Each structure stands twice: as structure tokens, then as C-alpha cells.
Amino acid sequence: MTIAPPRPTAAARRDARSAASGRSGGSWRVSLRLAMRQVRRSWATSLLVVVLILLPISGATGVLVFAESNRLSTAMTIDTEIGSADAALEIVGGPDPTRTQYLDDPFWTRVDQGDDGWPIHAEQEPPESAEGFVPDGAQVMSITGGMVDVETEHGRAQVDAEEGAAWDPLVRGRYLILDGRAPTNDSEAMVTPAMLERLGAEIGDTLTVIDPAAQLTIVGTLTLRMSGDVPTIFAADGALNIAENADEETWISQRWFVDGWNPSASDVAELNRAGLIVFDRHLMANPGDAASPLFDRSSGSEWAVFGVIAAAFVFASYIVVLISSAALTVTARRQHRTLAVVASVGADPRALRSIVLLQGILLGAVGGVLGVLAGIGGGVILHHATAAEVVPLPVRIPWLMIMVVVIAAVLVGSLTAYLPARQAAKMDVLAGLRGTRRPVRIAAQRPLWGLVILLIGVLLAVISIVGLVLAYRGLRGDTQTVVFILCLGGLVLGPLLAQIGVIVAGHWILARLSSLWSRAGVAPRIAGRDAVANPGRIVPAFGAIAACAFLATSAFGGAAVLIDDARSQWSPQAPEHGVAAYLWADGSSLEAYRQASEETSQALSDAGAESIAVVREAGSDDTSFVAPMMSAPPRCDNVLSGMSWDNAGIMCVGEEHAEAGKHGNTVVVSAAHLSTLFGTEIDADVLDAFEEGGAIVTDPAWATADGRLIMNRWVWDDEAGVDESTVVGDVPVSLIEIGPPSWPLQVVLSPRAAQELGIETLPRRLVADMGGPVSASTSDALTLEATRIGERVSGASSVSVSINVQEAPPAPGVWMWLILGLVGVLVIAVSTVALGLARVERRPDDATLASVGASRRTRRTVSGAQGLLIAGVGCITGVLAGLIPVTGVVTILGAVDYSDFGLSELPWAFFGLVGFVLPCVIALVMWLIPPGQADTTRRTAIA
């Protein structure tokens, strides 16, 4: 039994009598006074709960402020799209009687499609101009956008250009003049600040446009709102002739701004059918039934952002409720005698419950208010720190949503105090006055209810996975949207219910595990008994750790899937920080290719290339080709119908090429250049086999069962199609794991193999390793030199050299280890709080152990054993729950043929770290922290 418990103060006894009698404004007022007093007395625990509530609230508030400040209001959206004009028109395609648009989001257009995903009406020629659709008497001004080549400070570059009076008052608001004046003729232009920097020029200098040729005087700076500071030229009509110089493969955009005409909704519908979209000032502000929905099923990014924010807030609140509940449980037990005094003078269980519950409400309100203030400040700082616009958007604070966040904070505080308040209402008054507690009993129905909730969660997740597959594959329209929403929620809610089921049965699980754990020695026996005797503190603790492990597993597994998806869509032309130079000569002149290759290689070396690989490709006589062949190539028609664009999308073969046996291009590279080409060292045994006449493939689909690569010669006839297809030989292959699935060089032959097969090649590509990021000045210099090489080499043959600078996406390993570090800190922090509370409440037990001769080492071992028990149960539970959505996503993507990412490719090693290694680390930390000096004047009997 506990000796010398703290005596309640005289003020506490007066408030207790008032609470029992109902005087002095009623029991709620007295309960509030007692709650406030207890919050002040247990300031350390109160501060912990406030901080725990403050963190997710400040995060949610910061996200709301940042999102609202970066979201355009309706008025700002109208100004950004049409400036001061009444309306604007754009051509998006040919006439189609089924084309429609949202009035407030004109870029969203749709036409009726068949089951194959293609429009049901044949594509027609688009209109040449929108001016003919504008009524007489209205003022019309067009602005055309495209790309032009210019001389920069260090060479040559291709930049954005807009032709039209972007400085006209009609489009003020869409375009913003920053400095200087507007052009007065077609020999003057304005540029963005980034363009000035790229040119190394100032206002008043001359801008040289190479293609199309023009000399323009810079008279000012101007920016296109919400486009960022991108190098752009703004010239008058006729200065560049962008539309006239464009061919079918050249991208241009054109928008017609109208003053003096506001089309009606019926006018917009008619223009949509003609192939145009319409921006109208009044209709965008008042779209009526033609407004875009809050979340459209076609907007995956909005759903992703909404889902991530909602899930993060829900799980953060869940963790806060669990760990704060454990903290308040400790506080409630420390005020056990005070509550017993209140009950002894007549307070009913409702009054006891309200005292503890009001503590949670007070702490929730304080944490909510402080979190909102911190979140607003953080959101404002983040908004200004990440502003990419020349003229940043103003800060806007969504007060209505912030009020909802504060209410949510109070609700979280109430939920935090619910279980401790319920336990306080059931206290044994006589035992509380003596300073003892009733033994804890395991409710017989708890394991059953926990199992039921666990099974419901797992079943809900499985049903959601099946539903999402059906929604993608077989459903259309509103039904697809409803099923998608419900199943997405079920995929998040299912694992959460599974964790709740484990928590409901947590006391029973701890009792069973402690029974086994106690056989390991004295320290595990004491740790297990303490865990079973304090379920109000221990169960929420391992529940919070399980939630953190769940977040770690689902986040890391989701990151692995997303990284694989990003790599499958990335089509590099060279390794990271490399440069690919493409050579082309009319007539396949060997001499022209040789000279262009040598001069380009020298230019790359002068630019700082550390190594250069020469890539030779098979020549042809326009009718006869030699190419590698697969035994079962993926067909492009199947790929398109399955919405897949991974390995099969890169290597898919059209019907005619499939019949001809032309499944890829013949590429020849010397062994010395392979490391530069692939951006990594190649194994010595692979190089040896390659030099002896072999080949390298990056996908096993190219190799036969016996490890050979088949080379096929086919002949093409313009009228008959495939005229001849003959296998010319095969070579041994080595498979290397390199690059993303979309790596363009799937097959590389050795020079010896090409010679033995009689394949003639030309140097058509150079790949250079630049040793680091390529600067804009280096890129410009290489582009200019490539133009000069083409001019020097061109003689009987026309020669061109093009430069492609390859910058790879961020290395996935960095992000994965960042997630690992953040989640590790989160789990350790939550475990530290939970186990720290355990150590605080176990002080009387420590005193008892010390009084009977237990050493500090023994007491440290008890702490470590308890840490291993709690963290182990939590981490393993969280990992198992986290695998539900991760494996579900992989299953869904595989079922809809969107990805070939398999379950075996998941980061199982990381899951093992979280589930098994991390609990051992936590236990080690708890063992290393020495216990405090035991106070042997306050001891607890250990039965």
C-alpha cells in the first residue's frame, strides 16, 4: 500500500463541500475551479498535453493559411485569366457536338467517349481564328505564345515568347508591368526579370533573336501573373511572327481577349461545340449549375491533397488522444485522494467525472489557441519563403476553418480526458482516502469486442480494395465517383479500426504477453506486472506507438510505389547530370557524321565533360533494317487499352513492326564507354562477356530462355508493308539492373557483335558525364556551339546537332531516409513520453525495490524490459496495420494494369527495422537512462 500520500489543501476541501452541496453557482462552477487548480498543480503534465495538442493544431492551421494564401480567389482568378477584358476565347480542338466546359473552370472540357476511351465523333480540323466568332462592334486583341531561340550572355537558348500587346490596359491584371515603359513599335520588347538575368542585359540593351531572326530593344520588364519568374520575351504583333513560322510539330498557344461582349451560357455551349473554350467575367463569377464540383473525379491531385491532409490530421489527433489520455490518467491517479475527498462529502460520480473532463477541455482550448497562433505565424512565414511569383499573392487567413480547428482542439482535449474521467467516476472512495487502489481486472468481453472490431477493419479494407478496382475498371460517371469516395475512405478507416480493435483488446493482449515475458527473469516479470496493473496508461501508450509505426509503414511503402511510378514515367536521355548530343545528317553521310561527332566531342570536353560515350546506331537504306527482336513483345494497342505506360509502354510495338520483327533499335557502344552511358560502373565479368562479342540488355524480355538476343533483318515496302523478315543471328546477353524502366537504351551491342552480324553503324549520339549539375550558361554555350558545328560541317549533306541536358529527379534514397529519420524521431518521441510517464508513476515501486536491496542496474533493466514490451507490441501492430493499405494500393495498381510494381519490391527491410529493430533501440535507450534517486519514505507493496 502507498504510504504518506499528499493531503488535500483546505481550499480543495471547501470546494469539495461546495461541489457536493451545489452552492456557489452550482457544481459545474466548482468543478471548473478544481480542474483549473489541478491543471496548475500538475503543470508539467498539463504542459505536455498542451504541447501534444498544439503540434497537430499548429500544423493544420499552417497548412490552411498557406493553402488559402496560395489559392486564387474568384476575382483574382478572373484577373489572372482575362485581365480587364470582358471575355477571352481559346481554340482547343475541332468541332464536336458533345464538347462542354465548366463555366468557372474553362480548361476542364470533355467530349463523349466510347468504351475504348476514344471520342465517339471523328476529329475535325480546328478553326484558324476565334475572331470570326466574336460579334461585330466588340474589340478583339490576340496574344500568341511559343518558343524562340535567342543569344544569351553565354551562348544560345530556347525561351518562351509571347507576341501581342501584353502591356495593353485590356489585359492589365493578367500581365503586370514591373519597370520601364511599354513598346511603341515592333522593334521594341519587354522581358521578365529572369530573361534579363539570362541575357546579362539591362533595360535599353538589344536582344538578338536567332530563330526567327530579329533585333529588339528591351524597353521594360513585365511578368505574366502566376507563372513564376520564367525567362520570357513579350513582343508586339509582327515582331516575331510566331504563328506564321510554326509548323505542325511546333507548340503554340493563342488567346483572344474581347472587350464589349459578354457571351451567355448558351453562347458558350455553342462555342464549345465549335472547338473553343470561353472565359467570361460574369459567368466565371456566377457559374450556376455549370460550376465545377468541389472535387472532380478527374482531378486526382485535389483528391490526393485532400486525402493526405485529412488522413494526417486524423492520425495526428488519434496519436494525441492516446498519449495525452495516458498523461491525464497519471494525473488523475495522482489526484486520487483529492477526488476521494470530494466524493466523501457527497459529490456524485458525475461531479467527479466533470472535474477530470474539464481539465481536458481547458488544456484542449489552451492548446488550440496557442496552436492556431503558432500555425498562422508559420503559415505566413512559409508563404513568403516559398513565393515563386515576382508579385506574391497576399496572405489570407481562413477564419471560419480556423474556428473549426479550435473546436476540433477542444474536442480532442475532451476525448483525451474521457477515459480518465470515466475511471475517476468509478473510484472506490474509501480506498482513495486510504491511498490504495483496487486491483485491475480484465473484462471478459473486451477480447471478443476487440477481435470483432479488428475483423471489421480488415474486411472494410479488403472491400475497399475490390471496390477501387471495380471503380477503375468497370464503372463510369457518378457511380464511379461515389464508389471511389467511399472506398478511399474505407481504405483509410479500415486500418484505423484494426488498430482500435487491438487497443480494445489491449489489456488482455498485455496480460497474455506479460505471462510469457515474466519467464525471462525478475526484471521482465516486474515490468509485465506493472503493464498489466496500469492499462489506462500502458494501452494508450502502445496504441500511440502503433499509430506512429502505421504511419511509417504506410508512408514508406507509399513512397516506394510513388517513386517507382515516377521512375517509370521519367524518360532520360542520359544519366543524371549528363548531356546527350544528337547528330543528324541528310543522306546518312559517314563523313558528315564522323566530323560532327569529333567536333561535338571536343565541345563537350571544353565544357567540362569528365567522360564521353559515343553511341552508334545501325544505318539503313530506308527499306532494310536490322533490329533486336523479342519472342513476345508487348503490343501498343493492349498497352493503351490497359492505361499502362511502364516497361510495356516504352517497349510496346505497333502492329506492323510486330509482324516485321522490329522491336527496338540497334545500338552499338564500346566497352570503355558503357560506364559513362549508364552512369554506373559495370561488373568486370559483364564487360568481359561484352567485349567477346556479347550484348547488354536492361530488361529480361529481350533475352531468350537460353540467354541469347535475336537480331532480325526486315525489309519494308511502302505499298506491301513488310516484304521480308529474316533472322540474321543471335548473340549472348548479360542483364544489368540500371536506370528507370523507361531507360531508352534497352539493348546495347558490342562492336565485335555488330561486325560479326555485318551491321554498319553511324555515330548518332554522344552522352557526356558532366560531373555535376549543368548550369544555364553551360547549356547556352553548348547549344550555340552545336549550331556552329552544324553550319561548319554542312556541305553536300545538311547536318544538325541538338543538345539535351539531363537533370534527374531527386534521388529516392534521400527521401526514403528522410522519412525513416522523421518517423524514427516520432516513434522515439512518443515512446519516450509514454515510458517517461510509466517511470514517473513507478516511483513508489522503485522505492520499494530500492528498500529491499535492488540495485540501480536492476531498476534500469526493469525500465528497458517495459520499453521493449510496450514498443514491441506497438511497432509490430502498427507495421501489420500499415501493410493493409500498402499492399492494397499495389494490388489495385496491378489489377488495373497501371504498374508492374510487385509485393516483392516493397521495402521489407525497412518494415523489419520498424517492427523489430526500433523496439530494441527504444528499450536500449530506456535502459541507458538511469533511474532517479529512490525516495524510500514513499513505497508501494508489490504483490
Side-chain angles (χ1 to χ4, degrees):
M1 60 182 294
T2 302
I3 301 175
R7 296 176 56 81
T9 63
R13 291 193 293 271
R14 287 196 303 272
D15 288 339
R17 289 192 295 270
S18 299
S21 63
R23 296 193 301 268
S24 302
S27 60
W28 275 100
R29 179 180 176 185
V30 176
S31 298
L32 179 61
R33 290 177 59 188
L34 289 172
M36 294 177 65
R37 181 179 292 117
Q38 188 58 39
V39 166
R40 291 193 301 269
R41 290 183 61 188
S42 303
W43 64 270
T45 304
S46 301
L47 180 60
L48 172 64
V49 175
V50 167
V51 171
L52 290 172
I53 295 175
L54 178 148
L55 292 176
I57 296 301
S58 61
T61 303
V63 169
L64 289 173
V65 172
F66 179 77
E68 183 69 14
S69 299
N70 285 275
R71 184 182 65 86
L72 293 175
S73 64
T74 301
M76 294 174 66
T77 301
I78 295 172
D79 289 342
T80 300
E81 296 297 344
I82 65 176
S84 300
D86 291 321
L89 307 177
E90 272 195 32
I91 298 173
V92 295
D96 191 308
T98 64
R99 179 177 283 108
T100 58
Q101 71 165 74
Y102 289 137
L103 295 181
D104 58 342
D105 186 10
F107 286 115
W108 188 97
T109 63
R110 63 168 297 173
V111 295
D112 290 349
Q113 299 175 342
D115 294 336
D116 58 358
W118 294 98
I120 61 176
H121 295 96
E123 185 178 358
Q124 302 184 43
E125 286 294 325
E128 293 185 359
S129 174
E131 290 191 29
F133 296 92
V134 179
D136 295 337
Q139 177 189 354
V140 182
M141 183 187 74
S142 69
I143 295 181
T144 304
M147 305 289 291
V148 297
D149 290 340
V150 300
E151 285 188 8
T152 65
E153 181 181 12
H154 300 282
R156 175 174 177 165
Q158 191 174 65
V159 299
D160 294 332
E162 298 206 10
E163 189 175 17
W167 46 86
D168 193 283
L170 182 63
V171 290
R172 183 178 296 137
R174 175 176 172 81
Y175 300 92
L176 303 174
I177 296 178
L178 304 176
D179 195 10
R181 62 173 178 84
T184 57
N185 54 63
D186 60 8
S187 65
E188 297 178 339
M190 304 185 78
V191 297
T192 58
M195 189 73 249
L196 269 184
E197 182 179 354
R198 187 76 173 265
L199 296 172
E202 298 178 351
I203 295 176
D205 291 344
T206 299
L207 164 65
T208 300
V209 182
I210 301 173
D211 185 19
Q215 293 283 328
L216 304 174
T217 300
I218 302 173
V219 296
T221 56
L222 179 143
T223 186
L224 173 62
R225 193 171 191 176
M226 296 307 297
S227 66
D229 193 10
V230 178
T232 309
I233 301 170
F234 302 95
D237 280 324
L240 301 174
N241 295 318
I242 293 176
E244 290 78 1
N245 293 325
D247 54 31
E248 294 182 355
E249 297 181 357
T250 303
W251 172 87
I252 64 169
S253 65
Q254 196 164 13
R255 184 174 294 189
W256 288 263
F257 299 89
V258 184
D259 188 32
W261 176 56
N262 290 106
S264 63
S266 59
D267 293 333
V268 172
E270 183 178 351
L271 290 167
N272 290 160
R273 292 190 290 269
L276 291 83
I277 58 174
V278 182
F279 303 80
D280 178 78
R281 181 172 299 277
H282 299 307
L283 294 178
M284 290 180 72
N286 304 283
D289 295 336
S292 59
L294 180 61
F295 292 108
D296 184 78
R297 64 178 177 275
S298 64
S299 179
S301 60
E302 290 186 352
W303 275 112
V305 172
F306 175 78
V308 168
I309 293 176
F313 184 77
V314 168
F315 276 98
S317 301
Y318 173 69
I319 294 172
V320 168
V321 168
L322 290 176
I323 199 68
S324 300
S325 178
L328 286 181
T329 297
V330 173
T331 301
R333 286 182 177 174
R334 298 184 72 182
Q335 58 177 313
H336 206 209
R337 185 177 178 86
T338 300
L339 294 175
V341 171
V342 174
S344 67
V345 295
D348 56 13
R350 183 177 61 181
L352 299 178
R353 186 166 52 246
S354 65
I355 293 172
V356 180
L357 190 61
L358 284 172
Q359 293 180 40
I361 294 175
L362 288 171
L363 296 176
V366 173
V369 172
L370 294 179
V372 163
L373 295 176
I376 291 176
V380 171
I381 294 173
L382 183 62
H383 172 68
H384 288 295
T386 59
E389 304 299 321
V390 178
V391 181
L393 294 173
V395 173
R396 294 190 298 168
I397 300 177
W399 292 111
L400 180 60
M401 292 300 298
I402 286 179
M403 290 178 60
V404 173
V405 170
V406 173
I407 294 174
V410 176
L411 180 61
V412 168
S414 302
L415 292 175
T416 294
Y418 174 74
L419 288 178
R422 185 181 177 187
Q423 293 174 358
K426 295 180 179 180
M427 68 176 298
D428 186 331
V429 177
L430 188 58
L433 291 174
R434 291 201 306 262
T436 61
R437 294 196 302 266
R438 291 179 298 180
V440 178
R441 293 180 298 177
I442 301 176
Q445 70 274 18
R446 284 294 182 87
L448 180 61
W449 278 112
L451 179 62
V452 170
I453 297 174
L454 173 64
L455 293 177
I456 291 175
V458 174
L459 185 62
L460 179 60
V462 173
I463 293 174
S464 299
I465 293 170
V466 175
L468 285 171
V469 173
L470 294 176
Y472 275 112
R473 277 194 157 183
L475 301 179
R476 292 289 184 272
D478 294 336
T479 304
Q480 185 190 47
T481 304
V482 173
V483 172
F484 185 81
I485 295 173
L486 293 177
C487 292
L488 191 63
L491 194 58
V492 175
L493 183 60
L496 181 60
L497 284 177
Q499 293 180 73
I500 293 176
V502 174
I503 291 175
V504 171
H507 195 194
W508 179 84
I509 294 174
L510 283 175
R512 303 284 78 78
L513 292 176
S514 297
S515 177
L516 299 174
W517 190 228
S518 63
R519 301 174 185 176
V522 175
R525 184 181 302 119
I526 295 175
R529 288 186 176 184
D530 179 73
V532 175
N534 297 278
R537 164 173 50 82
I538 301 299
V539 172
F542 85 70
I545 296 173
C548 295
F550 168 82
L551 289 177
T553 303
S554 55
F556 205 85
V561 176
L562 291 176
I563 289 171
D564 176 78
D565 180 61
R567 287 168 60 85
S568 68
Q569 297 183 28
W570 177 51
S571 299
Q573 305 304 312
E576 182 180 359
H577 304 318
V579 172
Y582 295 89
L583 315 179
W584 179 86
D586 186 20
S588 298
S589 169
L590 177 59
E591 179 59 26
Y593 275 110
R594 185 195 61 76
Q595 186 177 352
S597 174
E598 291 178 355
E599 294 200 20
T600 304
S601 178
Q602 185 60 49
L604 291 169
S605 297
D606 294 342
E610 296 183 353
S611 59
I612 301 172
V614 179
V615 180
R616 306 179 67 90
E617 297 183 11
S620 72
D621 55 7
D622 295 332
T623 59
S624 178
F625 304 84
V626 176
M629 184 172 69
M630 286 183 285
S631 57
R635 299 288 290 269
C636 289
D637 49 356
N638 296 333
V639 170
L640 292 175
S641 63
M643 297 188 302
S644 175
W645 201 254
D646 45 25
N647 286 27
I650 296 301
M651 299 189 299
C652 76
V653 180
E655 181 178 357
E656 295 175 341
H657 284 183
E659 294 176 359
K662 182 184 185 299
H663 304 157
N665 295 322
T666 300
V667 173
V668 179
V669 179
S670 68
H673 292 170
L674 287 176
S675 296
T676 300
L677 178 66
F678 290 112
T680 187
E681 293 296 327
I682 307 298
D683 292 341
D685 55 345
V686 174
L687 286 177
D688 293 340
F690 183 80
E691 288 182 322
E692 292 176 1
I696 286 178
V697 296
T698 59
D699 191 284
W702 292 101
T704 61
D706 57 350
R708 311 288 292 186
L709 173 69
I710 300 174
M711 299 299 296
N712 188 60
R713 180 182 297 277
W714 61 288
V715 180
W716 177 261
D717 186 275
D718 290 337
E719 295 183 359
V722 179
D723 186 55
E724 181 183 342
S725 178
T726 306
V727 174
V728 297
D730 60 77
V731 296
V733 297
S734 300
L735 173 67
I736 61 172
E737 297 289 338
I738 191 69
S742 56
W743 184 259
L745 300 181
Q746 300 282 338
V747 178
V748 178
L749 286 180
S750 65
R752 180 176 174 179
Q755 182 180 7
E756 292 176 351
L757 294 171
I759 301 175
E760 297 182 358
T761 60
L762 299 170
R764 291 188 171 179
R765 186 187 316 180
L766 281 79
V767 175
D769 177 12
M770 306 303 291
V774 181
S775 64
S777 60
T778 300
S779 175
D780 292 353
L782 284 172
T783 302
L784 177 60
E785 185 60 24
T787 303
R788 293 172 177 171
I789 291 172
E791 294 172 351
R792 287 196 301 266
V793 175
S794 294
S797 301
S798 176
V799 177
S800 66
V801 180
S802 61
I803 299 294
N804 182 288
V805 177
Q806 183 63 61
E807 293 296 337
V814 175
W815 293 105
M816 286 191 174
W817 286 111
L818 179 60
I819 294 174
L820 174 62
L822 291 176
V823 171
V825 170
L826 179 62
V827 175
I828 292 175
V830 170
S831 304
T832 301
V833 172
L835 298 175
L837 292 172
R839 176 165 288 186
V840 169
E841 195 172 11
R842 283 187 55 256
R843 284 175 180 172
D845 293 345
D846 278 344
T848 302
L849 290 173
S851 66
V852 296
S855 64
R856 289 170 63 88
R857 180 185 180 89
T858 300
R859 289 183 286 142
R860 288 204 310 188
T861 305
V862 172
S863 296
Q866 189 170 80
L868 184 61
L869 176 65
I870 299 173
V873 173
C875 288
I876 293 175
T877 301
V879 169
L880 293 177
L883 286 175
I884 296 175
V886 171
T887 55
V889 169
V890 174
T891 303
I892 292 169
L893 294 179
V896 300
D897 297 327
Y898 185 77
S899 172
D900 61 353
F901 187 86
L903 293 176
S904 61
E905 299 177 76
L906 286 172
W908 294 105
F910 172 79
F911 301 153
L913 283 175
V914 175
F916 300 101
V917 177
L918 196 56
C920 296
V921 173
I922 294 173
L924 179 62
V925 172
M926 297 304 297
W927 183 86
L928 290 175
I929 299 176
Q933 185 66 36
D935 182 5
T936 55
T937 62
R938 302 178 64 183
R939 303 189 297 273
T940 297
I942 302 177

